[in-house]
Amino acid sequence: MEQRRGRSLRAPLAIVGVLGLIGGTVVAVRAIAGGDGNCDGGVKLVVAAAPDVAPAVRDAAARWSATNPEVGGDCVQVQVRAAEPADVANQLAARAGGAINVAATALPSPADADVPTVWIPDSTAWIVRMQAVSREAFEPDVTSVAASPVTLAVPDQLAGALGAGGSGTAGAPQVAALLPKVAGKQVQLAAVDPRRSTAGLAGAGLLYDSIVTDPKNLVDVVKAYRSIAVAPDQAALTKSAGPAQVAPMSEQAVIAYNSAGPPVSLTALPVDPPVTLDYPYATITGKPRASLEAAGLFRTALTADGNRDLFARLGFRAADGSTSAGFPAGRGATTAPVTVKPLAEPQKINDILGYWTATTAPSRVLTLVDVTSSVNRPMAGSGSPSRLQVLRKTATDGLGLFTDDSELGLWAYASGLPGGKDYQEVVPLNPLNQGQRARLNTAVAGAKAVGTDVCGLYETVLAAYQALKEGYKEGRSNTVVVFTDGANSKPGMSLETLKLELERATDPTRPVRVVLLGVGPDVRQQELAEIAAATGGRSFVVTDPEQIGNIFLQALIRTG
C-alpha cells in the first residue's frame, strides 16, 4: 500500500523497465511542445498527461497558445509531456519522501525543476493513492477534463457467446461465465498490472467480486490472478490482443484499437458496477506563483466547450459523461451519456492492491511453527482435529499461495530443542523451487510435538526478525509468519522488552513484518496484536479450521 517511507514496503520490480528519473531528466515517455515556440524567457508551464489523453491536451495547448496568454505581462509557454501515471506517481512520492506501490523501484528525490506543474493522470484513483503518501501533494481545485468508462474488451465473437450482443455490460455473471473458459485455456485473461493501471485495478476488483461470493472462495482468487497475462502498459496490452484474449480497458482504448483496423475487433462491455476514468487536472503544490496562475488559466481553457471536439474525435467523453460530435461510436461504445463514477474509495483501492500484491508478487517468508506439547490438544471440543493437524494443513495449503520465485524457510520452536535453544531451523530459507517445496512438505508432514509446554515465543520472534533483516531482499515482502497455539511461557524476556527490541531493530529501508496466527482457544489475542503492531504486521486468531486458508491469505496482504 501507499505509505510514508518510515513504514513503507518497497514495491516489487516491474516486469519490464519503467521510465523514471535518470540524473536530471524528467519522467516522460516523450515531450510534446504546445504553442508557437516564440515565448523564450516567459512563464513555462509543464503538463504531464497520461499517454492516451496527451494528444488532445497538446492540441488544446496549441489553440490556447495561439491566443498569446500572459501572466503578469509575461507570455506563457505550455509543454505537454506524455507520461505514464505510475511513473509520475513514483516521482511525486519520492519528492514527498515516501513510496508508492507501482511495481517499480523507488526513485531518488527529484529536483524541483523536473517535477511538472500540472499532472493529468487517467483517474482520481491516482490522486487518492498519492494523498495517502502526502496530503499536501496537490492544490485543492482538482478538475476532470475528460471521461472514459472502464470496460471489458472482449473479441466480438466471444461477446456474442456471452449473450452481450455488443450492447450489454460486464458484471459478475458475465465474468463468472468466462471463468470455466479461462480454466479450460479457451480464454486468456490479460491486463496491465493493477499497480500501474486504473483499468487493470478495476478489472482485478471485478474479478475478485465475481469469485468471492462466499468467504471460503477467497483462495480461488490466487489462481485467477495468477492466470492473468500481465502487460507493462496499455500499448503492450493492445498489441497482444487476439481472438481469445479478454482484458479490462477504457472505452477510449477500445475505440482507438478498433480504429486501427486490427485483425480481431473488440467489443467494449462497460464493467458493472461502473468505474470511470475521469482524467483529473491536478496542480502540484510548491510551484512558483506565476506557474500556478498559468496552470489555472490553462485549466479554464482546457475544459472550455470549444475544446470538446479535440477529446471527442479521439474517443473521449466530456467530464460529465456526455459525447460530442465526432465521437466514434460502435462496438459497445454508444453516444448515450454515462454516469461518471471514478474509482476514488481509498479502502477499496487498498484492498484490491493488497490482494493483487499478496497473490502475484514474490515473498520472502520465514515460518515459525509451535511444537510444544499443547499442540496435541484438540482444536476445539472432543472429536475435533488436533491443533498440530490444523497447523500441518495450514502450512501445506499455504505453500500453494506463494509464487515460484518466492523464498521460504521453516523453524520449529519450543524450549529445550537440540542445542538448548528455543528454536531450530528445520528447512533453511531458500527459493521455492520444486525441491524446496518437497523439503517443506516433508518437514511439515513429519512435524511432532516435543515433551514440554514451555514456549520461548518472544526470543524466537526476535531471532527470526533479526535473521530476515540481516538477509533482507529489496522488492519482496520480507515477513515472519508465526503459528502459535498459546503464548510465551518461558521466564525471562517480557512482552514490553520484546516490543522495545523490535522497535530498536526496525530499519525503514529494510522493513520486516511479523504476522501471527493463533490457533485454538488458549491464544492471548491482545499479546499477538501488540507484537504484530510493533512491526507493522497483523495478527489473527483462528477458531474454525475452515477459516484457515482465507486467514492465511489475508495475513500475507501488505498493509499500512
Side-chain angles (χ1 to χ4, degrees):
M1 300 302 122
E2 281 60 87
Q3 305 172 5
R4 289 284 184 182
R5 191 176 298 278
R7 293 269 308 277
S8 69
L9 291 169
R10 297 302 184 91
L13 293 175
I15 295 174
V16 298
V18 297
L19 294 171
L21 290 180
I22 303 176
T25 62
V26 178
V27 175
V29 177
R30 55 194 176 97
I32 312 168
D36 58 12
N38 296 321
C39 186
D40 294 337
V43 178
K44 183 178 179 181
L45 177 62
V46 178
V47 179
D52 51 352
V53 80
V57 177
R58 171 203 60 199
D59 291 344
R63 282 183 179 177
W64 186 57
S65 294
T67 68
N68 299 315
E70 294 184 351
V71 169
D74 293 325
C75 62
V76 178
Q77 182 186 46
V78 184
Q79 293 184 355
V80 180
R81 296 169 176 163
E84 291 292 342
D87 294 333
V88 179
N90 202 14
Q91 180 194 43
L92 294 179
R95 182 191 190 222
I100 188 167
N101 186 356
V102 292
T105 54
L107 296 171
S109 182
D112 192 63
D114 294 333
V115 177
T117 301
V118 173
W119 184 29
I120 308 178
D122 59 12
S123 171
T124 294
W126 286 108
I127 306 301
V128 172
R129 293 177 65 182
M130 267 306 306
Q131 287 175 332
V133 180
S134 172
R135 291 187 178 183
E136 297 78 32
F138 309 108
E139 296 291 333
D141 190 3
V142 177
T143 306
S144 174
V145 302
S148 187
V150 175
T151 71
L152 203 61
V154 182
D156 288 349
Q157 184 176 356
L158 186 56
L162 286 174
S167 60
T169 60
Q174 286 76 25
V175 174
L178 276 176
L179 291 176
K181 296 179 181 292
V182 174
K185 308 295 184 183
Q186 299 164 284
V187 171
Q188 171 67 67
L189 296 180
V192 180
D193 193 316
R195 294 167 294 182
R196 298 184 58 79
S197 161
T198 304
L201 186 65
L206 175 60
L207 187 56
Y208 175 92
D209 292 339
S210 302
I211 293 173
V212 189
T213 54
D214 185 299
K216 294 180 180 179
N217 299 338
L218 183 59
V219 176
D220 293 336
V221 174
V222 178
K223 294 180 181 178
Y225 280 178
R226 290 182 184 168
S227 72
I228 296 174
V230 180
D233 52 39
Q234 184 61 45
L237 180 64
T238 52
K239 186 177 181 180
S240 67
Q245 178 173 296
V246 174
M249 295 166 55
S250 71
E251 177 186 70
Q252 188 275 337
V254 176
I255 290 172
Y257 172 84
N258 286 332
S259 67
V264 177
S265 297
L266 300 176
T267 294
L269 305 180
V271 299
D272 182 24
V275 177
T276 315
L277 303 186
D278 59 329
Y279 299 90
Y281 185 104
T283 305
I284 310 299
T285 56
K287 291 294 184 176
R289 177 175 297 180
S291 295
L292 296 178
E293 289 185 21
L297 293 174
F298 183 51
R299 178 179 59 233
T300 300
L302 188 62
T303 55
D305 287 344
N307 282 324
R308 289 184 62 159
D309 63 309
L310 301 178
F311 294 90
R313 69 191 184 196
L314 294 179
F316 290 100
R317 296 172 180 268
D320 62 1
S322 63
T323 59
S324 300
F327 179 81
R331 289 195 168 86
T334 71
T335 57
V338 299
T339 301
V340 176
K341 291 188 177 181
L343 184 55
E345 301 172 40
Q347 189 59 53
K348 184 172 184 179
I349 292 170
N350 286 345
D351 286 347
I352 299 171
L353 287 172
Y355 283 114
W356 175 265
T357 302
T359 57
T360 61
S363 301
R364 184 169 178 268
V365 176
L366 183 53
T367 303
L368 314 181
V369 177
D370 188 342
V371 292
T372 53
S373 58
S374 60
V375 297
N376 283 327
R377 298 172 189 166
M379 174 74 178
S382 177
S384 67
S386 71
R387 301 169 192 181
L388 181 58
Q389 288 174 316
V390 173
L391 291 176
R392 282 174 178 161
K393 185 178 188 305
T394 302
T396 301
D397 292 349
L399 278 175
L401 300 178
F402 293 98
T403 59
D404 291 339
D405 53 353
S406 294
E407 298 178 37
L408 263 75
L410 177 66
W411 287 9
Y413 68 96
S415 291
L417 290 175
K421 291 187 175 182
D422 293 308
Y423 54 89
Q424 179 183 19
E425 182 180 69
V426 180
V427 179
L429 186 66
N430 280 311
L432 197 56
N433 54 30
Q434 187 174 357
Q436 183 72 348
R437 287 185 186 273
R439 285 186 288 272
L440 288 165
N441 279 320
T442 299
V444 169
K448 295 181 180 180
V450 297
T452 178
D453 205 20
V454 178
C455 172
L457 174 64
Y458 298 161
E459 288 87 347
T460 303
V461 167
L462 182 58
Y465 184 96
Q466 292 171 334
L468 270 193
K469 177 185 169 185
E470 289 172 4
Y472 182 85
K473 289 195 175 178
E474 184 76 27
R476 294 173 180 265
S477 174
N478 292 260
T479 307
V480 177
V481 176
V482 185
F483 292 100
T484 178
D485 81 325
N488 185 81
S489 56
K490 179 184 176 181
M493 183 180 289
S494 67
L495 176 59
E496 292 305 316
T497 299
L498 171 63
K499 293 192 295 182
L500 180 60
E501 291 297 328
L502 289 173
E503 290 172 3
R504 286 175 176 170
T506 298
D507 182 347
T509 66
R510 294 186 291 171
V512 175
R513 293 187 311 146
V514 176
V515 173
L516 301 102
L517 289 88
V519 177
D522 302 327
V523 173
R524 297 178 186 174
Q525 186 171 359
Q526 181 60 34
E527 180 176 306
L528 301 188
E530 290 184 35
I531 297 172
T535 67
R538 304 181 72 181
S539 66
F540 300 85
V541 175
V542 183
T543 56
D544 179 0
E546 295 298 319
Q547 300 173 332
I548 198 69
N550 294 340
I551 289 177
F552 191 82
L553 178 57
Q554 292 178 49
L556 298 178
I557 295 174
R558 302 179 180 196
T559 59

